[in-house]
Amino acid sequence: MRFSIVGVLSCVVFLGCDVGTDSKNLSSQKPTSLNGVIAEQILPINFFEQRYLLLSSETQGLLLVDEFAEVQAQQPGSIEALAIQPRGDGNYLIAAYEEQAAQLQLYQLFAGMGSALRFELLGKFENFAPVSALCFAVQEGRNHLFVIGESGLGFEYLLTASGAGWDLTEIRPLYLGEGINSCAVDSRRGRLLVSQPPLGVLALNADAESDEARELLLSTEQLGDEFGSLRLDYQRDQIWLLVQQGIVAFDLSGGGSLDQSWEFPGKGAASLAAFNDRLALLEGSQREVVYIPVSTKPVQATADSLEAVPVIWATGETDPVYSSGDAADDPAIWVNSHSPENSLIFATDKKRGLNIYHLSGGLKQNFPLGKLNNVDIRKISHPHMDAIAVASNRTDPGLDIFAIRTNGEVEHLGYRSIDLSDPYGLCLQQDDDGLYAWVSDKGSSLHQFKLKIPKLAKGVEIERGIRLDNYAQIEGCVVDDQFATLFFAEEKRGIWRLDLNAGAEVAPVLVAEVDGKQLVADIEGLALYQANKKGYLMASSQGSDTYALFSRDGSEFLTQFKVGINPQLGIDGSSETDGLAITSANLGAQYPQGLLVVQDGRNRMPRARQNFKLIDWRDINLLLLQQ
């Protein structure tokens, strides 16, 4: 996009910003000719404390020039869009869209023999529709690339080096709309920023495992109808843009307040590059470069910078559920006592029924019984069964009951109605008197039911127990049988604990409250890691896509973590988790210290229906040792 920039050359300073120059000095800046190169975009490069400009040209490809426009390196082609990413070794990754070949090309810019700068081709990726904007991001040490097409459809990709070259793996699509001309990633706050005339500058979550949270950062009232060449400057914590009036800089941390602006005479500006102490403006029909000094005064990083949350990775995942949309919900783990590596994962598809998976993640069995929401399992002493699984059914309010044989075969024992309007959350309790199910009636109360299982396992009877009232929506719950303690999560408020041996006169105690940091509403799944008398309580903090770990009695917060992308195994992270399940049992070589299973609300790499992620408990133990 080209901008017509007219007016008297002047510097207008806002909020006390010291530009370090005056209008006379600015007007004396002489343009540097590009010697006939018709460039479309410029980006700043620093090598050996020297400044360079990386140019994209539709006729001459990629060019690296010094401050005097002398060509230092060139890669032929027809380059329409460009992005750079500094690497830790001092070199640069370069993404370029080759218009004639419809290719996305990946290069490394590095210093070769004799310190000569060179382009090295890392990969070519075919069949890309016309691209209007490219920008890199570094997430958890990985290289990500955002590619936005002229049609308004964008994609986030993971870039990984392999023996034969680099791979490009799609993470997610982005439906942005037409007109985007540039983008940048504010890694300090985890935002993808896009320049989209005539709407404004939009901000989206750069993390694919977070809600997109699209918002208008800068409006056309601040920018006018034409703007672009969006650049970020972390030293001053600013965002730079070309506008019709010239150049503007906004405070990146303070809600989009204007820091400074220039009106600049010229014949049409195409692109802007920001060095630490100057701006480089690609200006005029002859594509000359004008350098403008700016303040080098650093800006303190603000309080809204992202706080680092520890990240662990899934080592396995299940097949997707059958239903589309928000369908996968709650898992439970059956431990095969005779052959632990053949243990099973029970998990609900809340639009269709119950799935049973091998530890490999493959589907073993499916029961299409309706809207089964939550499921739990208990081992029992019985001549024909090793364990019982119970699931809440919202299609016809009631409970579905399953027998698990010692060899892992599962049989549906039948359905039992219960007098609740909408059975929602469910967890099991076992004591010397028998087996109980705690079931929440969505949005109202929590109910206990005793399950009487005959020796023939048919005709299971249900008897009402106690009832807990005056709570808002409850789904997640878990019972610590060893210490006779019920935990349940009021989604907007926090985690409650009830001593089941204390008598009816003892009320639940709120042990962990929603605070927007350790717990962010909604609080969904609850599970226990139990190893003799030691253990932990875990909750899925759905509002922050994190998992909070507490002491076993829930009274002490220990840590929180996210489940991120595992690029080696090609498994995406987990987010917006509903239910989770834990076992401390040794499940063989893959999970010798236990297993965590979490529902994943956004299944990426590739895009698919929701599923469940499997996390090795050894990684959580390692995290706890590091605290």
Side-chain angles (χ1 to χ4, degrees):
M1 185 175 191
R2 199 157 293 130
F3 305 91
S4 177
I5 298 179
V6 295
V8 179
L9 186 59
S10 63
C11 176
V12 183
V13 182
F14 296 84
L15 303 178
C17 176
D18 177 16
V19 180
T21 185
D22 56 32
S23 60
K24 183 177 180 180
N25 289 337
L26 281 173
S27 61
S28 67
Q29 299 297 312
K30 295 182 179 180
T32 300
S33 172
L34 290 178
N35 301 317
V37 175
I38 306 299
E40 297 297 325
Q41 188 176 347
I42 56 174
L43 291 172
I45 297 284
N46 288 284
F47 261 111
F48 313 120
E49 300 183 354
Q50 297 294 317
R51 298 182 183 89
Y52 299 88
L53 287 172
L54 182 65
L55 312 179
S56 66
S57 170
E58 293 183 6
T59 58
Q60 294 175 270
L62 285 176
L63 299 100
L64 184 73
V65 302
D66 61 20
E67 290 186 282
F68 306 102
E70 296 293 332
V71 177
Q72 303 297 310
Q74 184 173 2
Q75 181 70 34
S78 176
I79 304 302
E80 178 70 18
L82 196 60
I84 58 173
Q85 175 63 49
R87 303 186 69 182
D89 56 6
N91 300 324
Y92 288 82
L93 277 179
I94 298 172
Y97 176 66
E98 217 295 346
E99 185 178 30
Q100 291 183 354
Q103 289 177 343
L104 183 67
Q105 299 177 348
L106 187 66
Y107 294 90
Q108 178 181 213
L109 178 63
F110 70 104
M113 296 294 293
S115 298
L117 299 176
R118 296 176 49 194
F119 294 107
E120 178 189 9
L121 180 65
L122 301 178
K124 293 182 178 180
F125 308 99
E126 308 288 346
N127 301 319
F128 271 80
V131 171
S132 62
L134 296 168
C135 48
F136 278 103
V138 176
Q139 299 183 24
E140 301 165 10
R142 304 180 306 268
N143 289 302
H144 291 231
L145 180 66
F146 290 92
V147 180
I148 302 172
E150 292 180 357
S151 67
L153 177 61
F155 291 92
E156 180 182 357
Y157 294 98
L158 173 66
L159 292 169
T160 51
S162 63
W166 284 61
D167 295 324
L168 194 69
T169 304
E170 180 190 324
I171 296 178
R172 61 167 167 166
L174 294 163
Y175 303 97
L176 297 166
E178 297 180 357
I180 291 172
N181 55 37
S182 57
C183 65
V185 174
D186 177 7
S187 57
R188 186 171 283 167
R189 300 165 188 85
R191 301 186 297 187
L192 168 66
L193 308 181
V194 296
S195 168
Q196 189 174 17
L199 297 178
V201 174
L202 302 180
L204 301 85
N205 267 331
D207 185 354
E209 293 297 346
S210 297
D211 189 272
E212 196 175 86
R214 186 177 309 208
E215 64 173 331
L216 185 66
L217 183 66
L218 299 173
S219 69
T220 52
E221 292 181 357
Q222 297 165 286
L223 301 173
D225 291 331
E226 294 187 20
F227 50 89
S229 198
L230 183 156
R231 302 287 181 260
L232 299 186
D233 180 352
Y234 280 131
Q235 186 175 16
R236 283 168 291 270
D237 218 17
Q238 290 177 330
I239 178 172
W240 297 90
L241 284 157
L242 290 176
V243 297
Q244 287 176 307
Q245 296 79 16
I247 306 169
V248 290
F250 290 87
D251 178 17
L252 197 57
S253 65
S257 58
L258 182 66
D259 269 354
Q260 49 189 318
S261 68
W262 286 265
E263 290 184 357
F264 195 83
K267 300 177 182 179
S271 185
L272 180 70
F275 291 98
N276 287 340
D277 61 349
R278 68 183 65 184
L279 301 177
L281 179 67
L282 182 63
E283 186 268 334
S285 59
Q286 299 301 313
R287 293 300 192 269
E288 296 171 319
V289 176
V290 176
Y291 291 99
I292 303 173
V294 293
S295 167
T296 57
K297 181 180 179 181
V299 174
Q300 187 75 22
T302 54
D304 65 348
S305 297
L306 289 178
E307 294 184 12
V309 175
V311 177
I312 60 176
W313 299 272
T315 56
E317 62 181 333
T318 68
D319 292 339
V321 297
Y322 178 85
S323 302
S324 59
D326 183 18
D329 197 273
D330 186 52
I333 303 167
W334 173 71
V335 177
N336 188 326
S337 303
H338 302 287
S339 179
E341 64 276 9
N342 291 319
S343 298
L344 300 172
I345 298 166
F346 287 57
T348 59
D349 176 340
K350 61 187 177 185
K351 296 182 178 181
R352 189 170 188 266
L354 181 70
N355 293 338
I356 301 170
Y357 301 95
H358 300 288
L359 291 183
S360 64
L363 182 65
K364 176 183 184 291
Q365 206 169 355
N366 169 261
F367 292 91
L369 298 170
K371 297 177 181 179
L372 301 192
N373 201 69
N374 278 30
V375 63
D376 202 3
I377 295 172
R378 281 294 187 274
K379 296 270 189 176
I380 62 171
S381 177
H382 194 277
H384 306 294
M385 293 183 288
D386 180 73
I388 283 283
V390 181
S392 55
N393 194 324
R394 302 175 69 188
T395 300
D396 186 9
L399 303 178
D400 280 279
I401 302 167
F402 304 85
I404 309 171
R405 313 296 180 189
T406 55
N407 62 359
E409 291 303 312
V410 180
E411 177 187 353
H412 183 221
L413 296 181
Y415 160 85
R416 297 292 179 270
S417 64
I418 53 177
D419 56 342
L420 302 184
S421 61
D422 190 0
Y424 196 50
L426 177 144
C427 57
L428 295 183
Q429 170 197 347
Q430 191 175 49
D431 62 20
D432 293 339
D433 293 328
L435 184 67
Y436 301 83
W438 286 90
V439 187
S440 66
D441 202 356
K442 187 175 182 181
S444 60
S445 53
L446 187 61
H447 304 253
Q448 184 193 53
F449 298 91
K450 185 170 185 178
L451 305 179
K452 297 181 179 180
I453 304 169
K455 288 186 178 181
L456 295 178
K458 299 292 184 182
V460 176
E461 296 179 7
I462 294 179
E463 180 181 296
R464 260 196 171 279
I466 62 176
R467 168 176 173 162
L468 302 176
D469 285 315
N470 301 316
Y471 297 95
Q473 186 163 305
I474 296 168
E475 183 173 11
C477 67
V478 65
V479 176
D480 188 335
D481 293 333
Q482 186 177 8
F483 294 104
T485 306
L486 166 69
F487 298 92
F488 59 94
E490 194 176 3
E491 293 188 359
K492 304 294 185 184
R493 190 170 180 190
I495 302 171
W496 295 84
R497 181 183 67 205
L498 175 64
D499 183 348
L500 295 171
N501 287 335
E505 69 280 0
V506 176
V509 177
L510 185 65
V511 292
E513 195 164 2
V514 168
D515 59 2
K517 294 181 179 179
Q518 298 170 358
L519 288 175
V520 182
D522 291 339
I523 310 305
E524 294 280 347
L526 290 179
L528 285 164
Y529 182 90
Q530 304 172 73
N532 297 320
K533 292 187 177 181
K534 297 180 180 180
Y536 308 99
L537 173 69
M538 184 180 291
S540 57
S541 181
Q542 195 178 75
S544 57
D545 299 316
T546 61
Y547 305 90
L549 202 60
F550 297 87
S551 59
R552 185 164 172 174
D553 65 357
S555 63
E556 180 185 0
F557 173 79
L558 301 176
T559 189
Q560 61 182 334
F561 62 90
K562 291 188 173 186
V563 176
I565 291 172
N566 188 331
Q568 286 74 33
L569 296 179
I571 301 174
D572 67 306
S574 64
S575 55
E576 212 171 42
T577 292
D578 287 321
L580 49 81
I582 302 172
T583 180
S584 63
N586 180 345
L587 301 185
Q590 192 171 5
Y591 304 108
Q593 293 179 12
L595 171 66
L596 166 66
V597 180
V598 301
Q599 182 262 357
D600 182 15
R602 302 180 182 94
N603 193 13
R604 318 284 197 189
M605 296 176 56
R607 286 174 288 163
R609 295 183 296 275
Q610 293 179 344
N611 72 346
F612 298 84
K613 300 297 191 287
L614 283 62
I615 296 100
D616 187 343
W617 194 266
R618 287 177 293 182
D619 293 328
I620 300 173
N621 273 337
L622 183 61
L623 174 63
L624 288 166
L625 290 173
Q626 294 170 347
Q627 300 304 301

